[in-house]
Amino acid sequence: AETRVPEAQVWLTDHAHLFVDPFKDKILYYEIGVDTAGTIADIKNSDTGGDMKWNGEYEVKTGLNWNVGWMTELRVPFKTLGKSPKEGEVWGLTFARVDIDKEFSVWTGGEWNDPSLFGELLFSGEVR
């Protein structure tokens, strides 16, 4: 049997973070963390705070590459984010990597949990 840590423990270990603001309103956004074992911790953030009891639906795989470290692949269905994108739509997005001992990096730089600083994800072509 697989041993999994409690969801909140993910934030205290090496993990990757995905932040998505599908409405680009800088208020309702999702925070999804994945640790090296593939354990997911997720929070639905809104103007009333973060809901850690909320749980989305995901597929996750993790693996170790001795040359570069661990990797994760995460599939997040649009229904988990409460919205399907339309062509030309822009969502807020950023990624972060936390190595508890050595590294903290964010794709967009600066603060990692501030939706006003997220990058932009433009949907073009056919969206499935």
Side-chain angles (χ1 to χ4, degrees):
E2 232 175 282
T3 303
R4 295 288 183 155
V5 298
E7 188 172 310
Q9 290 293 108
V10 170
W11 310 124
L12 305 175
T13 63
D14 294 351
H15 64 279
H17 247 91
L18 168 66
F19 295 87
V20 183
D21 180 357
F23 298 93
K24 208 160 186 297
D25 61 4
K26 300 173 180 58
I27 296 171
L28 173 64
Y29 65 99
Y30 299 89
E31 179 177 353
I32 304 160
V34 179
D35 72 7
T36 58
T39 304
I40 294 175
D42 52 7
I43 301 172
K44 182 178 183 179
N45 293 290
S46 69
D47 55 355
T48 58
D51 180 359
M52 289 188 71
K53 291 182 179 177
W54 174 83
N55 288 301
E57 192 177 296
Y58 312 98
E59 288 179 29
V60 65
K61 292 182 184 176
T62 59
L64 180 61
N65 178 318
W66 293 103
N67 295 318
V68 296
W70 74 279
M71 302 172 284
T72 187
E73 182 178 321
L74 179 65
R75 180 182 171 275
V76 183
F78 290 128
K79 69 180 180 179
T80 287
L81 304 174
K83 180 179 185 185
S84 290
K86 294 180 175 40
E87 186 172 354
E89 194 168 343
V90 177
W91 290 12
L93 179 84
T94 197
F95 307 91
R97 160 112 167 59
V98 179
D99 178 326
I100 294 299
D101 298 322
K102 297 182 254 182
E103 177 188 348
F104 173 80
S105 55
V106 182
W107 171 59
T108 50
E111 291 295 318
W112 65 331
N113 203 356
D114 181 350
S116 69
L117 300 174
F118 290 0
E120 294 184 339
L121 172 64
L122 170 64
F123 290 91
S124 63
E126 183 181 342
V127 179
R128 292 186 257 172

